[in-house]
Each structure stands twice: as C-alpha cells, then as structure tokens.
Amino acid sequence: MKALIFDVDGTLADTERDGHRVAFNLAFAEAGLDWEWDEALYGELLAVTGGKERIRRFIEQQKPQMVEGLPEGDDLGEWIAALHAAKTRHFVALLASGKIPLRSGVRRLLTEAHDAGVPLAIATTTTPQNVSALLENALFPGAESWFEVIGAGDIVPAKKPAADIYDYVLEQMGLKPEQCIAFEDSVNGLRSSRAAGLKTIITVNGYTEAEDFSRAALVLDQMGEPSDPCHIIQ
Ligand code: XBP
Ligand code: MG
C-alpha cells in the first residue's frame, strides 16, 4: 500500500450541516438575498458537488420571482463566483473559530500513517482555502506538510462523481490505484474513487447514511478510537 487518499467534507470532519450550510446562509444574508438553506433543503442540494455548482442548481430550481434581477449568461457565472468567494470567507472564519473538529479516529489514523511513513493525500471538491483552514485549525498548524498532494476544487475540469480529482492525485503521486486506499463519506465520492479504480472505505454521516455504498470495500460509522471503536455497517 503506497498511499492513503482522503476526501475532506464529511470524511475528515463533519463540515456540511453546521459549517458549509451556515456559511452559505451568511453569504446570502450579506448579499441581501432572502435565501435560506435549511438542513433538509441543503441535504437535497448536496447531490450537486461544488459550492458554485450548488448555487447555480438552486437558482435553476427557483420560481422566476425568487431570482428576478439576477445577471444573465456569463455575468451570472461571475456573480455566483463572487457570492461563493464570500461563502468561503465565512467558512474559513468558522474553521478559525475552532467550531468544526476532526471526526472520531481521523487524527489517530493520520498520525499512525504519518509515523509509519505511509504517504497521505487529499482528493476533495471543496476549495483549497477550506482544506488549508481545516488542517491548520482542526489538525495542527503546519499539518498541510503531512500531505504529499492536496487535490481540491477547480484544479480539475469535472468534480465528483467524475474520477478527475482522484486521477489527478494518483498522477501527481506517480501511483496506480491498486497501490492506494480512498476514504470517503458519500455516494458521489464513492462513484469518483471507484471510477478511478480505488478500493474505498466509507465513514457515513447524517446526510449520507442512507446512500448506496454497495461498491465500497468497507462501510463504517466512524474511524473510531480504542475507547470508542468503529462499527462495521457493511
Ligand atoms: C463536498 C462538496 C463541497 C462542499 C462545499 O466536498 O461537494 O462542494 O459541500 O465546499 P468533498 P465548496 O466531500 O469532496 O470534500 O463550497 O468549497 O465547494
Ligand atoms: Mg465528502
């Protein structure tokens, strides 16, 4: 085994419900939009990976009067990008406040792998700024140096469930999929890692526990600690 490759959101930390979702709503309020993504709606919108793509999908689903006055065409793309940049600023601030801890067993597993000299990498849809802020604040300052490659966000043309981000990480590390294991939390993530040929371990969370993980090598409730062990779901 030549490397462990980790997804970020939902895998390293439970970032969606109380992190990204809250940051989106703060950015909407700041922009004077009367949009509010509650927990249920956000759970549906999570089917779309990528924050900019998720905002666009929301706009496409709205009745005309909810989105009247928004720019059209390329201007809409720029408007969404600016709104998403504001959301990222709010999310980074949430991480800096220490509000979002690593999930159970993640620090233990990363530390054991690092100490055993097993290379680590990240393959995520979220933005690089968010990865840096999570590692700095929830793991330890300078933790980015533990990861040989951090593949994040717009670095690839197609986001998960496309294989692109995992293919990118494998290519950057000069490794074959059969030499690595991927860690994910969602069916979109599993589709991506499997499309790249990677054996995948899933740790489910509130938003993903009902999804179809039949193509995973192992499905757990968490990575777990000796005092709070994981349970094998599948
Ligand atoms: C999950 C995603 C991301 C986050 C929001 O990424 O799909 O879009 O929900 O982050 P992963 P951004 O599970 O692959 O880590 O707004 O920065 O996209
Ligand atoms: Mg995820």
Side-chain angles (χ1 to χ4, degrees):
M1 182 179 67
K2 298 291 186 205
L4 303 183
I5 307 175
F6 290 86
D7 165 54
V8 173
D9 295 303
T11 301
L12 292 186
D14 218 344
T15 54
E16 296 290 0
R17 191 192 64 188
D18 300 334
H20 288 298
R21 184 183 68 86
V22 170
F24 278 109
N25 288 330
L26 288 169
F28 299 155
E30 187 182 60
L33 297 161
D34 60 347
W35 302 352
E36 167 82 18
W37 289 358
D38 64 20
E39 290 179 33
L41 172 58
Y42 192 68
E44 291 164 26
L45 290 168
L46 273 173
V48 180
T49 65
K52 293 189 288 296
E53 295 78 2
R54 193 165 301 143
I55 292 170
R56 183 177 291 271
R57 173 67 64 83
F58 172 75
I59 291 171
E60 287 163 356
Q61 289 171 341
Q62 297 315 297
K63 298 184 194 65
Q65 65 268 23
M66 276 287 283
V67 290
E68 65 190 357
L70 289 188
E72 306 274 329
D74 290 349
D75 294 345
L76 179 60
E78 283 167 28
W79 184 86
I80 290 173
L83 182 60
H84 186 250
K87 172 265 175 185
T88 299
R89 195 173 63 248
H90 286 293
F91 183 70
V92 167
L94 278 171
L95 290 174
S97 68
K99 283 204 173 66
I100 301 176
L102 295 177
R103 287 192 64 183
S104 163
V106 169
R107 179 185 297 276
R108 173 185 58 75
L109 180 61
L110 291 175
T111 304
E112 284 177 13
H114 173 79
D115 292 353
V118 178
L120 299 171
I122 280 175
T124 175
T125 308
T126 195
T127 48
Q129 303 95 299
N130 293 344
V131 179
S132 304
L134 180 70
L135 295 177
E136 288 294 298
N137 292 286
L139 186 49
F140 62 87
E144 279 188 84
S145 66
W146 275 18
F147 297 84
E148 188 175 316
V149 175
I150 296 181
D154 296 331
I155 192 87
V156 289
K159 291 184 169 70
K160 299 177 184 175
D164 296 40
I165 194 68
Y166 280 103
D167 287 342
Y168 169 81
V169 169
L170 289 168
E171 187 259 331
Q172 292 289 310
M173 297 184 90
L175 294 176
K176 297 190 191 69
E178 56 270 20
Q179 296 174 297
C180 308
I181 294 180
F183 294 82
E184 274 284 353
D185 71 301
S186 70
V187 70
N188 274 329
L190 178 62
R191 285 195 188 119
S192 175
S193 59
R194 293 301 296 137
L198 285 156
K199 201 183 290 288
T200 305
I201 295 176
I202 297 288
T203 48
V204 300
N205 56 60
Y207 275 131
T208 67
E209 60 194 7
E211 293 181 341
D212 175 10
F213 294 119
S214 46
R215 296 178 63 208
L218 184 62
V219 182
L220 306 172
D221 58 342
Q222 56 176 0
M223 306 279 189
E225 299 292 348
S227 59
D228 174 22
C230 64
H231 295 89
I232 296 178
I233 296 171
Q234 177 184 317

mmCIF file of all heavy atoms in Angstrom, residues 7 9-11 43-44 46-49 125 159-163 166 183-195 200-205 207-216 219 234:
data_model
loop_
_atom_site.group_PDB
_atom_site.id
_atom_site.type_symbol
_atom_site.label_atom_id
_atom_site.label_comp_id
_atom_site.label_asym_id
_atom_site.label_seq_id
_atom_site.Cartn_x
_atom_site.Cartn_y
_atom_site.Cartn_z
ATOM 1 N N ASP A 7 -10.886 12.056 1.262
ATOM 2 C CA ASP A 7 -11.872 13.103 0.989
ATOM 3 C C ASP A 7 -11.857 14.025 2.211
ATOM 4 O O ASP A 7 -11.352 13.659 3.274
ATOM 5 C CB ASP A 7 -13.249 12.422 0.828
ATOM 6 C CG ASP A 7 -14.405 13.390 0.913
ATOM 7 O OD1 ASP A 7 -14.397 14.373 0.150
ATOM 8 O OD2 ASP A 7 -15.304 13.164 1.740
ATOM 9 N N ASP A 9 -14.787 16.865 3.118
ATOM 10 C CA ASP A 9 -16.093 17.156 3.725
ATOM 11 C C ASP A 9 -16.894 15.894 4.007
ATOM 12 O O ASP A 9 -17.169 15.128 3.106
ATOM 13 C CB ASP A 9 -16.884 18.103 2.817
ATOM 14 C CG ASP A 9 -16.200 19.453 2.724
ATOM 15 O OD1 ASP A 9 -15.991 20.080 3.771
ATOM 16 O OD2 ASP A 9 -15.839 19.847 1.596
ATOM 17 N N GLY A 10 -17.206 15.716 5.281
ATOM 18 C CA GLY A 10 -17.947 14.538 5.723
ATOM 19 C C GLY A 10 -17.038 13.400 6.112
ATOM 20 O O GLY A 10 -17.476 12.432 6.744
ATOM 21 N N THR A 11 -15.757 13.460 5.705
ATOM 22 C CA THR A 11 -14.822 12.361 5.984
ATOM 23 C C THR A 11 -13.824 12.763 7.070
ATOM 24 O O THR A 11 -13.765 12.155 8.126
ATOM 25 C CB THR A 11 -14.085 11.944 4.701
ATOM 26 O OG1 THR A 11 -15.058 11.541 3.728
ATOM 27 C CG2 THR A 11 -13.113 10.795 4.958
ATOM 28 N N GLY A 43 -29.603 19.149 2.432
ATOM 29 C CA GLY A 43 -29.393 17.716 2.185
ATOM 30 C C GLY A 43 -29.715 17.352 0.753
ATOM 31 O O GLY A 43 -29.010 16.552 0.130
ATOM 32 N N GLU A 44 -30.749 17.973 0.195
ATOM 33 C CA GLU A 44 -31.087 17.702 -1.219
ATOM 34 C C GLU A 44 -30.040 18.339 -2.152
ATOM 35 O O GLU A 44 -29.584 17.722 -3.103
ATOM 36 C CB GLU A 44 -32.461 18.303 -1.551
ATOM 37 C CG GLU A 44 -33.632 17.598 -0.859
ATOM 38 C CD GLU A 44 -34.895 18.457 -0.901
ATOM 39 O OE1 GLU A 44 -35.027 19.296 -1.835
ATOM 40 O OE2 GLU A 44 -35.736 18.309 -0.009
ATOM 41 N N LEU A 46 -27.013 18.817 -1.630
ATOM 42 C CA LEU A 46 -25.703 18.143 -1.566
ATOM 43 C C LEU A 46 -25.528 17.143 -2.708
ATOM 44 O O LEU A 46 -24.423 16.669 -2.979
ATOM 45 C CB LEU A 46 -25.533 17.431 -0.219
ATOM 46 C CG LEU A 46 -24.950 18.301 0.912
ATOM 47 C CD1 LEU A 46 -24.988 17.532 2.228
ATOM 48 C CD2 LEU A 46 -23.527 18.741 0.586
ATOM 49 N N ALA A 47 -26.628 16.816 -3.393
ATOM 50 C CA ALA A 47 -26.498 15.918 -4.562
ATOM 51 C C ALA A 47 -25.594 16.562 -5.616
ATOM 52 O O ALA A 47 -24.981 15.869 -6.436
ATOM 53 C CB ALA A 47 -27.867 15.633 -5.149
ATOM 54 N N VAL A 48 -25.503 17.892 -5.568
ATOM 55 C CA VAL A 48 -24.639 18.624 -6.512
ATOM 56 C C VAL A 48 -23.333 18.952 -5.796
ATOM 57 O O VAL A 48 -23.346 19.636 -4.763
ATOM 58 C CB VAL A 48 -25.312 19.943 -6.960
ATOM 59 C CG1 VAL A 48 -24.410 20.689 -7.940
ATOM 60 C CG2 VAL A 48 -26.676 19.675 -7.552
ATOM 61 N N THR A 49 -22.216 18.475 -6.313
ATOM 62 C CA THR A 49 -20.939 18.758 -5.640
ATOM 63 C C THR A 49 -20.403 20.090 -6.147
ATOM 64 O O THR A 49 -20.650 20.474 -7.294
ATOM 65 C CB THR A 49 -19.894 17.666 -5.935
ATOM 66 O OG1 THR A 49 -19.586 17.687 -7.333
ATOM 67 C CG2 THR A 49 -20.401 16.300 -5.521
ATOM 68 N N THR A 125 -13.686 18.052 -3.347
ATOM 69 C CA THR A 125 -14.380 19.010 -4.205
ATOM 70 C C THR A 125 -14.289 20.422 -3.643
ATOM 71 O O THR A 125 -14.422 21.402 -4.393
ATOM 72 C CB THR A 125 -15.875 18.607 -4.296
ATOM 73 O OG1 THR A 125 -15.950 17.230 -4.680
ATOM 74 C CG2 THR A 125 -16.623 19.466 -5.286
ATOM 75 N N LYS A 159 -15.915 17.805 -11.372
ATOM 76 C CA LYS A 159 -15.923 17.457 -9.944
ATOM 77 C C LYS A 159 -16.526 16.065 -9.753
ATOM 78 O O LYS A 159 -17.106 15.483 -10.670
ATOM 79 C CB LYS A 159 -16.695 18.526 -9.166
ATOM 80 C CG LYS A 159 -15.950 19.879 -9.128
ATOM 81 C CD LYS A 159 -16.688 20.913 -8.273
ATOM 82 C CE LYS A 159 -15.824 22.136 -8.028
ATOM 83 N NZ LYS A 159 -15.607 22.970 -9.234
ATOM 84 N N LYS A 160 -16.394 15.556 -8.513
ATOM 85 C CA LYS A 160 -17.028 14.264 -8.166
ATOM 86 C C LYS A 160 -18.507 14.344 -8.556
ATOM 87 O O LYS A 160 -19.123 15.413 -8.449
ATOM 88 C CB LYS A 160 -16.921 14.020 -6.652
ATOM 89 C CG LYS A 160 -15.474 13.934 -6.144
ATOM 90 C CD LYS A 160 -15.432 13.766 -4.638
ATOM 91 C CE LYS A 160 -13.995 13.780 -4.133
ATOM 92 N NZ LYS A 160 -13.942 13.730 -2.644
ATOM 93 N N PRO A 161 -19.087 13.265 -9.021
ATOM 94 C CA PRO A 161 -18.656 11.860 -9.086
ATOM 95 C C PRO A 161 -17.699 11.522 -10.226
ATOM 96 O O PRO A 161 -17.366 10.349 -10.391
ATOM 97 C CB PRO A 161 -19.978 11.106 -9.239
ATOM 98 C CG PRO A 161 -20.869 12.052 -9.972
ATOM 99 C CD PRO A 161 -20.495 13.418 -9.480
ATOM 100 N N ALA A 162 -17.239 12.506 -10.987
ATOM 101 C CA ALA A 162 -16.229 12.180 -12.011
ATOM 102 C C ALA A 162 -14.946 11.742 -11.307
ATOM 103 O O ALA A 162 -14.670 12.140 -10.172
ATOM 104 C CB ALA A 162 -15.957 13.406 -12.877
ATOM 105 N N ALA A 163 -14.127 10.952 -12.012
ATOM 106 C CA ALA A 163 -12.894 10.397 -11.419
ATOM 107 C C ALA A 163 -11.775 11.427 -11.360
ATOM 108 O O ALA A 163 -10.753 11.205 -10.704
ATOM 109 C CB ALA A 163 -12.438 9.202 -12.244
ATOM 110 N N TYR A 166 -9.424 12.215 -8.276
ATOM 111 C CA TYR A 166 -8.594 11.071 -7.830
ATOM 112 C C TYR A 166 -7.531 10.736 -8.882
ATOM 113 O O TYR A 166 -6.385 10.433 -8.559
ATOM 114 C CB TYR A 166 -9.478 9.853 -7.532
ATOM 115 C CG TYR A 166 -10.139 9.923 -6.162
ATOM 116 C CD1 TYR A 166 -11.477 10.260 -6.017
ATOM 117 C CD2 TYR A 166 -9.393 9.668 -5.008
ATOM 118 C CE1 TYR A 166 -12.068 10.344 -4.766
ATOM 119 C CE2 TYR A 166 -9.975 9.744 -3.741
ATOM 120 C CZ TYR A 166 -11.309 10.087 -3.627
ATOM 121 O OH TYR A 166 -11.882 10.175 -2.370
ATOM 122 N N PHE A 183 -10.641 7.164 1.182
ATOM 123 C CA PHE A 183 -11.594 7.295 2.294
ATOM 124 C C PHE A 183 -12.621 8.344 1.889
ATOM 125 O O PHE A 183 -12.249 9.473 1.562
ATOM 126 C CB PHE A 183 -10.873 7.725 3.579
ATOM 127 C CG PHE A 183 -9.917 6.686 4.105
ATOM 128 C CD1 PHE A 183 -8.637 6.572 3.581
ATOM 129 C CD2 PHE A 183 -10.312 5.798 5.102
ATOM 130 C CE1 PHE A 183 -7.750 5.612 4.059
ATOM 131 C CE2 PHE A 183 -9.438 4.829 5.578
ATOM 132 C CZ PHE A 183 -8.157 4.741 5.055
ATOM 133 N N GLU A 184 -13.909 7.951 1.965
ATOM 134 C CA GLU A 184 -14.984 8.845 1.516
ATOM 135 C C GLU A 184 -16.165 8.804 2.477
ATOM 136 O O GLU A 184 -16.175 8.001 3.426
ATOM 137 C CB GLU A 184 -15.452 8.417 0.102
ATOM 138 C CG GLU A 184 -14.643 9.023 -1.037
ATOM 139 C CD GLU A 184 -15.017 10.488 -1.274
ATOM 140 O OE1 GLU A 184 -15.974 10.978 -0.648
ATOM 141 O OE2 GLU A 184 -14.320 11.149 -2.065
ATOM 142 N N ASP A 185 -17.176 9.652 2.197
ATOM 143 C CA ASP A 185 -18.368 9.655 3.063
ATOM 144 C C ASP A 185 -19.668 9.606 2.266
ATOM 145 O O ASP A 185 -20.742 9.438 2.856
ATOM 146 C CB ASP A 185 -18.406 10.925 3.928
ATOM 147 C CG ASP A 185 -18.727 12.146 3.060
ATOM 148 O OD1 ASP A 185 -17.966 12.424 2.122
ATOM 149 O OD2 ASP A 185 -19.774 12.784 3.309
ATOM 150 N N SER A 186 -19.609 9.796 0.940
ATOM 151 C CA SER A 186 -20.861 9.983 0.183
ATOM 152 C C SER A 186 -20.849 9.134 -1.081
ATOM 153 O O SER A 186 -19.792 8.685 -1.544
ATOM 154 C CB SER A 186 -20.998 11.465 -0.228
ATOM 155 O OG SER A 186 -20.015 11.753 -1.220
ATOM 156 N N VAL A 187 -22.017 8.953 -1.651
ATOM 157 C CA VAL A 187 -22.108 8.143 -2.876
ATOM 158 C C VAL A 187 -21.424 8.869 -4.039
ATOM 159 O O VAL A 187 -20.760 8.238 -4.878
ATOM 160 C CB VAL A 187 -23.577 7.779 -3.198
ATOM 161 C CG1 VAL A 187 -24.388 8.997 -3.661
ATOM 162 C CG2 VAL A 187 -23.641 6.670 -4.234
ATOM 163 N N ASN A 188 -21.496 10.197 -4.060
ATOM 164 C CA ASN A 188 -20.767 10.955 -5.100
ATOM 165 C C ASN A 188 -19.270 10.711 -4.988
ATOM 166 O O ASN A 188 -18.568 10.524 -5.976
ATOM 167 C CB ASN A 188 -21.045 12.465 -4.975
ATOM 168 C CG ASN A 188 -22.301 12.879 -5.704
ATOM 169 O OD1 ASN A 188 -22.670 12.290 -6.722
ATOM 170 N ND2 ASN A 188 -22.972 13.890 -5.184
ATOM 171 N N GLY A 189 -18.789 10.689 -3.738
ATOM 172 C CA GLY A 189 -17.362 10.460 -3.524
ATOM 173 C C GLY A 189 -16.970 9.043 -3.898
ATOM 174 O O GLY A 189 -15.940 8.807 -4.542
ATOM 175 N N LEU A 190 -17.836 8.080 -3.539
ATOM 176 C CA LEU A 190 -17.546 6.670 -3.857
ATOM 177 C C LEU A 190 -17.524 6.449 -5.364
ATOM 178 O O LEU A 190 -16.640 5.756 -5.896
ATOM 179 C CB LEU A 190 -18.596 5.757 -3.204
ATOM 180 C CG LEU A 190 -18.463 4.252 -3.475
ATOM 181 C CD1 LEU A 190 -17.143 3.699 -2.948
ATOM 182 C CD2 LEU A 190 -19.649 3.489 -2.869
ATOM 183 N N ARG A 191 -18.498 7.074 -6.065
ATOM 184 C CA ARG A 191 -18.518 6.934 -7.534
ATOM 185 C C ARG A 191 -17.201 7.458 -8.127
ATOM 186 O O ARG A 191 -16.619 6.863 -9.025
ATOM 187 C CB ARG A 191 -19.693 7.732 -8.120
ATOM 188 C CG ARG A 191 -21.047 7.059 -7.911
ATOM 189 C CD ARG A 191 -22.122 7.676 -8.792
ATOM 190 N NE ARG A 191 -23.437 7.149 -8.427
ATOM 191 C CZ ARG A 191 -24.432 7.917 -7.989
ATOM 192 N NH1 ARG A 191 -24.264 9.229 -7.881
ATOM 193 N NH2 ARG A 191 -25.594 7.393 -7.657
ATOM 194 N N SER A 192 -16.714 8.558 -7.564
ATOM 195 C CA SER A 192 -15.477 9.167 -8.070
ATOM 196 C C SER A 192 -14.282 8.256 -7.805
ATOM 197 O O SER A 192 -13.508 7.928 -8.723
ATOM 198 C CB SER A 192 -15.268 10.523 -7.391
ATOM 199 O OG SER A 192 -14.031 11.089 -7.769
ATOM 200 N N SER A 193 -14.129 7.790 -6.582
ATOM 201 C CA SER A 193 -12.960 6.956 -6.247
ATOM 202 C C SER A 193 -13.021 5.619 -6.972
ATOM 203 O O SER A 193 -11.992 5.108 -7.452
ATOM 204 C CB SER A 193 -12.870 6.748 -4.726
ATOM 205 O OG SER A 193 -14.059 6.123 -4.227
ATOM 206 N N ARG A 194 -14.216 5.044 -7.107
ATOM 207 C CA ARG A 194 -14.339 3.766 -7.831
ATOM 208 C C ARG A 194 -14.050 3.975 -9.329
ATOM 209 O O ARG A 194 -13.416 3.151 -9.970
ATOM 210 C CB ARG A 194 -15.728 3.146 -7.636
ATOM 211 C CG ARG A 194 -16.044 2.686 -6.231
ATOM 212 C CD ARG A 194 -15.064 1.640 -5.722
ATOM 213 N NE ARG A 194 -15.108 0.388 -6.493
ATOM 214 C CZ ARG A 194 -14.032 -0.290 -6.887
ATOM 215 N NH1 ARG A 194 -12.828 0.172 -6.574
ATOM 216 N NH2 ARG A 194 -14.133 -1.406 -7.582
ATOM 217 N N ALA A 195 -14.497 5.106 -9.875
ATOM 218 C CA ALA A 195 -14.237 5.376 -11.305
ATOM 219 C C ALA A 195 -12.734 5.510 -11.553
ATOM 220 O O ALA A 195 -12.243 5.240 -12.652
ATOM 221 C CB ALA A 195 -14.947 6.654 -11.730
ATOM 222 N N THR A 200 -12.181 1.560 -1.657
ATOM 223 C CA THR A 200 -12.671 2.703 -0.868
ATOM 224 C C THR A 200 -13.300 2.278 0.453
ATOM 225 O O THR A 200 -14.085 1.334 0.490
ATOM 226 C CB THR A 200 -13.715 3.491 -1.683
ATOM 227 O OG1 THR A 200 -13.130 3.856 -2.951
ATOM 228 C CG2 THR A 200 -14.165 4.741 -0.945
ATOM 229 N N ILE A 201 -12.917 2.980 1.517
ATOM 230 C CA ILE A 201 -13.524 2.812 2.844
ATOM 231 C C ILE A 201 -14.425 4.016 3.094
ATOM 232 O O ILE A 201 -14.006 5.160 2.892
ATOM 233 C CB ILE A 201 -12.440 2.710 3.938
ATOM 234 C CG1 ILE A 201 -11.615 1.429 3.740
ATOM 235 C CG2 ILE A 201 -13.079 2.749 5.333
ATOM 236 C CD1 ILE A 201 -10.455 1.283 4.709
ATOM 237 N N ILE A 202 -15.672 3.742 3.492
ATOM 238 C CA ILE A 202 -16.660 4.795 3.743
ATOM 239 C C ILE A 202 -16.871 4.963 5.244
ATOM 240 O O ILE A 202 -16.969 3.974 5.977
ATOM 241 C CB ILE A 202 -18.025 4.415 3.102
ATOM 242 C CG1 ILE A 202 -17.903 4.318 1.574
ATOM 243 C CG2 ILE A 202 -19.132 5.392 3.511
ATOM 244 C CD1 ILE A 202 -17.736 5.630 0.860
ATOM 245 N N THR A 203 -16.934 6.231 5.697
ATOM 246 C CA THR A 203 -17.473 6.518 7.031
ATOM 247 C C THR A 203 -18.708 7.379 6.789
ATOM 248 O O THR A 203 -18.601 8.486 6.266
ATOM 249 C CB THR A 203 -16.457 7.298 7.917
ATOM 250 O OG1 THR A 203 -15.918 8.388 7.167
ATOM 251 C CG2 THR A 203 -15.323 6.395 8.360
ATOM 252 N N VAL A 204 -19.870 6.823 7.132
ATOM 253 C CA VAL A 204 -21.122 7.525 6.842
ATOM 254 C C VAL A 204 -21.326 8.681 7.815
ATOM 255 O O VAL A 204 -20.666 8.777 8.857
ATOM 256 C CB VAL A 204 -22.338 6.570 6.919
ATOM 257 C CG1 VAL A 204 -22.193 5.447 5.911
ATOM 258 C CG2 VAL A 204 -22.502 6.014 8.340
ATOM 259 N N ASN A 205 -22.235 9.592 7.448
ATOM 260 C CA ASN A 205 -22.645 10.664 8.367
ATOM 261 C C ASN A 205 -24.127 10.931 8.160
ATOM 262 O O ASN A 205 -24.774 10.277 7.340
ATOM 263 C CB ASN A 205 -21.806 11.935 8.129
ATOM 264 C CG ASN A 205 -21.887 12.408 6.691
ATOM 265 O OD1 ASN A 205 -22.974 12.725 6.199
ATOM 266 N ND2 ASN A 205 -20.760 12.417 6.009
ATOM 267 N N TYR A 207 -25.962 12.988 6.660
ATOM 268 C CA TYR A 207 -26.510 13.243 5.328
ATOM 269 C C TYR A 207 -26.344 12.064 4.373
ATOM 270 O O TYR A 207 -27.001 11.997 3.350
ATOM 271 C CB TYR A 207 -25.833 14.472 4.703
ATOM 272 C CG TYR A 207 -26.459 15.789 5.092
ATOM 273 C CD1 TYR A 207 -25.669 16.847 5.548
ATOM 274 C CD2 TYR A 207 -27.836 16.004 5.001
ATOM 275 C CE1 TYR A 207 -26.243 18.069 5.895
ATOM 276 C CE2 TYR A 207 -28.412 17.224 5.337
ATOM 277 C CZ TYR A 207 -27.603 18.253 5.786
ATOM 278 O OH TYR A 207 -28.173 19.474 6.118
ATOM 279 N N THR A 208 -25.436 11.142 4.684
ATOM 280 C CA THR A 208 -25.127 10.125 3.646
ATOM 281 C C THR A 208 -25.462 8.693 4.072
ATOM 282 O O THR A 208 -25.361 7.771 3.288
ATOM 283 C CB THR A 208 -23.618 10.160 3.288
ATOM 284 O OG1 THR A 208 -22.853 9.707 4.431
ATOM 285 C CG2 THR A 208 -23.171 11.558 2.883
ATOM 286 N N GLU A 209 -25.916 8.503 5.339
ATOM 287 C CA GLU A 209 -26.022 7.118 5.849
ATOM 288 C C GLU A 209 -26.991 6.254 5.044
ATOM 289 O O GLU A 209 -26.867 5.038 5.040
ATOM 290 C CB GLU A 209 -26.402 7.140 7.326
ATOM 291 C CG GLU A 209 -27.720 7.821 7.619
ATOM 292 C CD GLU A 209 -27.891 8.126 9.117
ATOM 293 O OE1 GLU A 209 -26.929 7.915 9.893
ATOM 294 O OE2 GLU A 209 -28.985 8.579 9.478
ATOM 295 N N ALA A 210 -27.959 6.873 4.339
ATOM 296 C CA ALA A 210 -28.943 6.060 3.588
ATOM 297 C C ALA A 210 -28.525 5.830 2.131
ATOM 298 O O ALA A 210 -29.259 5.219 1.349
ATOM 299 C CB ALA A 210 -30.304 6.754 3.621
ATOM 300 N N GLU A 211 -27.341 6.306 1.768
ATOM 301 C CA GLU A 211 -26.923 6.190 0.360
ATOM 302 C C GLU A 211 -26.425 4.782 0.051
ATOM 303 O O GLU A 211 -26.133 3.992 0.948
ATOM 304 C CB GLU A 211 -25.858 7.254 0.043
ATOM 305 C CG GLU A 211 -26.411 8.680 0.082
ATOM 306 C CD GLU A 211 -25.383 9.764 -0.252
ATOM 307 O OE1 GLU A 211 -24.169 9.476 -0.172
ATOM 308 O OE2 GLU A 211 -25.787 10.880 -0.574
ATOM 309 N N ASP A 212 -26.289 4.456 -1.226
ATOM 310 C CA ASP A 212 -25.904 3.117 -1.671
ATOM 311 C C ASP A 212 -24.383 2.976 -1.703
ATOM 312 O O ASP A 212 -23.726 3.540 -2.576
ATOM 313 C CB ASP A 212 -26.473 2.845 -3.080
ATOM 314 C CG ASP A 212 -25.983 1.506 -3.643
ATOM 315 O OD1 ASP A 212 -25.369 0.720 -2.868
ATOM 316 O OD2 ASP A 212 -26.177 1.265 -4.848
ATOM 317 N N PHE A 213 -23.832 2.192 -0.774
ATOM 318 C CA PHE A 213 -22.376 2.030 -0.678
ATOM 319 C C PHE A 213 -21.972 0.599 -1.036
ATOM 320 O O PHE A 213 -20.949 0.085 -0.572
ATOM 321 C CB PHE A 213 -21.901 2.385 0.738
ATOM 322 C CG PHE A 213 -22.095 3.839 1.072
ATOM 323 C CD1 PHE A 213 -22.899 4.244 2.125
ATOM 324 C CD2 PHE A 213 -21.465 4.826 0.310
ATOM 325 C CE1 PHE A 213 -23.072 5.592 2.443
ATOM 326 C CE2 PHE A 213 -21.640 6.173 0.608
ATOM 327 C CZ PHE A 213 -22.439 6.556 1.677
ATOM 328 N N SER A 214 -22.786 -0.051 -1.901
ATOM 329 C CA SER A 214 -22.516 -1.478 -2.182
ATOM 330 C C SER A 214 -21.164 -1.672 -2.885
ATOM 331 O O SER A 214 -20.607 -2.747 -2.870
ATOM 332 C CB SER A 214 -23.652 -2.057 -3.035
ATOM 333 O OG SER A 214 -23.966 -1.176 -4.085
ATOM 334 N N ARG A 215 -20.628 -0.600 -3.512
ATOM 335 C CA ARG A 215 -19.335 -0.766 -4.204
ATOM 336 C C ARG A 215 -18.155 -0.407 -3.315
ATOM 337 O O ARG A 215 -17.015 -0.335 -3.778
ATOM 338 C CB ARG A 215 -19.328 0.077 -5.481
ATOM 339 C CG ARG A 215 -20.388 -0.396 -6.498
ATOM 340 C CD ARG A 215 -20.409 0.483 -7.732
ATOM 341 N NE ARG A 215 -19.136 0.413 -8.444
ATOM 342 C CZ ARG A 215 -18.663 1.417 -9.191
ATOM 343 N NH1 ARG A 215 -19.345 2.547 -9.273
ATOM 344 N NH2 ARG A 215 -17.516 1.292 -9.803
ATOM 345 N N ALA A 216 -18.391 -0.152 -2.031
ATOM 346 C CA ALA A 216 -17.284 0.160 -1.107
ATOM 347 C C ALA A 216 -16.659 -1.134 -0.608
ATOM 348 O O ALA A 216 -17.314 -2.185 -0.543
ATOM 349 C CB ALA A 216 -17.821 0.970 0.062
ATOM 350 N N VAL A 219 -17.804 -0.266 4.976
ATOM 351 C CA VAL A 219 -18.622 0.885 5.383
ATOM 352 C C VAL A 219 -18.663 0.913 6.912
ATOM 353 O O VAL A 219 -19.119 -0.066 7.527
ATOM 354 C CB VAL A 219 -20.055 0.806 4.823
ATOM 355 C CG1 VAL A 219 -20.846 2.060 5.230
ATOM 356 C CG2 VAL A 219 -20.034 0.670 3.302
ATOM 357 N N GLN A 234 -21.115 -2.406 6.768
ATOM 358 C CA GLN A 234 -21.221 -3.277 5.576
ATOM 359 C C GLN A 234 -19.819 -3.723 5.167
ATOM 360 O O GLN A 234 -18.910 -2.878 5.253
ATOM 361 C CB GLN A 234 -21.870 -2.461 4.442
ATOM 362 C CG GLN A 234 -22.000 -3.146 3.108
ATOM 363 C CD GLN A 234 -22.569 -2.181 2.076
ATOM 364 O OE1 GLN A 234 -23.507 -1.433 2.353
ATOM 365 N NE2 GLN A 234 -21.975 -2.176 0.897
#
